[in-house]
Amino acid sequence: MQNADLIITNVGQLVTCSSGGKPKRGAAMLDVGIIGDGGVAIADGKFIGVGTSAQILSDFQSDEVVDAEGRVICPGFVDPHTHIVYSGDRLNEFELKIKGAAYLEILASGGGIISTVKNTREAAVESLVEQSLVRLDKMLACGTTTCEIKTGYGLDTATELKMLEVIAELDRLHPINIVPTFLAAHAVPPEFKEVPDKYVDLICDTMLSAAWKWFVSSDFQGRTPFFCDVFCENGAFSLDQSRRVLETAKSLGFEIKAHVDQFTNLGGARLAIEMGATSIDHLDVISNEEIGLLAKSDTFGMVIPTENFNTGKTQYANARKLVDSGCAVALSTDYNPGSAPCPSQPMAMAISCRYQKLLPAEALNAATINAAYAIGLGDMVGSIEIGKRADLAIFETHDYRQISYEFGGDLVAAVYCGGVAV
Ligand code: NIG
Ligand code: FE
């Protein structure tokens, strides 16, 4: 008998999403690794036993035994693309969009991302931390236990570094695991509107090295990657500008990501795949040829159906085709004040099933194990496997498919981060 800090038994479906140390592709996306009448044993914040209730009870003992009463347990969700550090809201823009304004039109007229930049530049670190903690709490309540957070509402060196400081503070204060991403190339700030290349110079000559310097002395160093991202789009950054930013970042040591094909195909997908990006995100208008390249690469295709849903688009990224073509597909909320004010991975799964034709099993793997690999943490989180961080959620249902089937409600009964109920 081995001692455990916590044992959970009588799990109707223990949905492990186990992957044997690699991301899931193709038919493997249909396998969520269910153990009927399952149980887990946890010690020092990690899974030390995963099996049936009978196996766990015969191998482990603990003073703390939780009876899951036949409910479903899944790995905590991993949300691999968010922009949750910002000040204010975009409620006026919500109304403008309802009345017919397009997202890129609002951005071009100095609203959208730029309006959030104005608020974020003015906000103190303490205020940003306070506002962002509320957003992390909402994500946790939806079952998310790990997330990526991007900068990108500063667009000057000082404010981008302030956002990194906020992200580090959130990581210290909140049970959700966090991975930082530097997104100075999110939009061209108003002071560079007429000379966008000069802003790209500033990013490449100053901001990226300042951010990298911050990273190497931060608590993230050695624990998580540090990503550099770019918004490759008309009205944001051209293909050449995106290449410059990503090449400079790579040479400094960043891992790379890119927002591509959200509205316009500028060739960003091919560029980022050829540069070895960890993920390319959105993919609403990716070409068949680029899907072929993606399938042969180690780059993740990240789909974000919450953005389409929120902006009222009828065209979604073709996640069905991405999976069937053999791409490694991950799913995220993109939680941000403009294009996707949504903290919920279950909601992203629900939309993905309906409009991108992922099956519930595929959506779950995309929001857990594949999402973990898409932010470089596949060996640490994203599945219920021995040695991984004991992050899980208990759902008020007997069948995991209900997580995608129901929407707008709340099936999460409990969330554990590192083996602790939070
Ligand atoms: O992923 N596309 C650019 N960035 C975000 C939106 C950010 C915002 O609107 O504030 C996105 O959709
Ligand atoms: Fe985004």
Side-chain angles (χ1 to χ4, degrees):
M1 278 284 219
Q2 216 183 318
N3 285 323
D5 298 331
L6 169 68
I7 287 174
I8 307 179
T9 61
N10 194 17
V11 184
Q13 289 183 335
L14 178 63
V15 185
T16 62
C17 297
S18 65
S19 74
K22 58 178 192 309
K24 296 198 181 212
R25 293 174 188 255
M29 287 290 275
L30 291 169
D31 181 7
V32 287
I34 297 176
I35 301 173
D37 190 8
V40 293
I42 294 166
D44 299 323
K46 296 191 170 158
F47 294 113
I48 57 167
V50 177
T52 60
S53 285
Q55 282 164 343
I56 295 297
L57 288 170
S58 81
D59 294 351
F60 299 93
Q61 61 186 11
S62 177
D63 293 339
E64 206 185 333
V65 179
V66 170
D67 181 347
E69 295 171 350
R71 291 177 291 193
V72 167
I73 286 184
C74 294
F77 296 117
V78 177
D79 196 340
H81 178 145
T82 83
H83 309 247
I84 61 157
V85 174
Y86 60 86
S87 186
D89 60 53
R90 301 253 284 278
L91 292 165
N92 293 340
E93 173 182 327
F94 178 52
E95 292 190 332
L96 287 176
K97 281 190 292 205
I98 293 169
K99 291 183 195 159
Y103 180 82
L104 288 181
E105 270 169 32
I106 296 172
L107 177 61
S109 68
I113 294 172
I114 299 302
S115 79
T116 301
V117 168
K118 286 180 190 138
N119 291 330
T120 305
R121 284 179 174 178
E122 283 164 14
V125 168
E126 298 70 35
S127 164
L128 287 170
V129 168
E130 196 184 319
Q131 295 181 65
S132 308
L133 282 173
V134 174
R135 298 174 192 129
L136 282 173
D137 283 345
K138 291 182 196 173
M139 293 167 71
L140 189 70
C142 296
T144 294
T145 51
T146 297
C147 75
E148 180 258 23
I149 306 179
K150 301 177 197 293
T151 68
Y153 294 122
L155 312 186
D156 61 36
T157 311
T159 316
E160 287 292 311
L161 289 172
K162 179 173 78 177
M163 291 188 72
L164 289 172
E165 207 184 308
V166 172
I167 292 172
E169 185 63 5
L170 296 175
D171 189 53
R172 282 189 283 272
L173 294 176
H174 203 277
I176 290 186
N177 273 316
I178 293 171
V179 175
T181 293
F182 192 63
L183 180 58
H186 194 193
V188 177
E191 59 277 20
F192 286 95
K193 198 164 183 227
E194 304 309 323
V195 281
D197 278 325
K198 291 260 182 288
Y199 181 56
V200 178
D201 292 343
L202 178 69
I203 295 175
C204 294
D205 298 343
T206 308
M207 295 172 91
L208 282 168
S209 44
W212 187 257
K213 198 170 151 209
W214 166 85
F215 174 69
V216 292
S217 59
S218 76
D219 297 342
F220 293 103
Q221 162 70 20
R223 243 181 353 110
T224 74
F226 189 25
F227 292 102
C228 172
D229 195 347
V230 57
F231 184 19
C232 182
E233 181 59 62
N234 285 336
F237 296 89
S238 68
L239 187 64
D240 282 343
Q241 292 170 334
S242 301
R243 183 185 293 113
R244 275 187 66 199
V245 171
L246 295 179
E247 275 176 356
T248 309
K250 228 179 130 171
S251 73
L252 287 165
F254 286 87
E255 306 287 325
I256 60 174
K257 289 179 171 276
H259 285 67
V260 300
D261 300 328
Q262 185 172 352
F263 300 94
T264 322
N265 187 328
L266 300 181
R270 175 188 286 270
L271 169 75
I273 294 164
E274 287 175 354
M275 290 186 68
T278 305
S279 74
I280 51 175
D281 305 31
H282 284 285
L283 311 185
D284 296 10
V285 293
I286 191 171
S287 68
N288 288 338
E289 198 195 331
E290 290 163 314
I291 292 177
L293 290 176
L294 183 62
K296 285 197 229 98
S297 75
D298 291 331
T299 301
F300 276 81
M302 181 109 55
V303 295
I304 306 180
T306 43
E307 184 267 338
N308 307 65
F309 175 80
N310 178 61
T311 53
K313 288 182 189 167
T314 49
Q315 185 188 356
Y316 284 71
N318 194 341
R320 178 75 267 137
K321 184 164 189 173
L322 293 172
V323 170
D324 291 343
S325 306
C327 302
V329 173
L331 178 69
S332 69
T333 63
D334 198 6
Y335 192 7
N336 75 72
S339 73
C342 174
S344 166
Q345 277 286 55
M347 186 68 192
M349 291 162 66
I351 304 171
S352 186
C353 289
R354 287 159 179 83
Y355 294 102
Q356 300 185 311
K357 306 300 173 198
L358 288 190
L359 288 159
E362 296 170 319
L364 183 61
N365 279 319
T368 54
I369 186 65
N370 277 11
Y373 278 105
I375 52 172
L377 297 190
D379 295 335
M380 237 177 76
V381 296
S383 60
I384 298 178
E385 290 179 275
I386 289 173
K388 283 202 169 177
R389 205 177 109 116
D391 293 348
L392 59 87
I394 305 181
F395 294 89
E396 205 58 69
T397 177
H398 64 280
D399 187 322
Y400 79 91
R401 292 175 299 179
Q402 187 137 2
I403 300 167
S404 293
Y405 167 75
E406 253 189 52
F407 58 91
D410 179 16
L411 292 177
V412 179
V415 181
Y416 288 74
C417 282
V420 178
V422 288

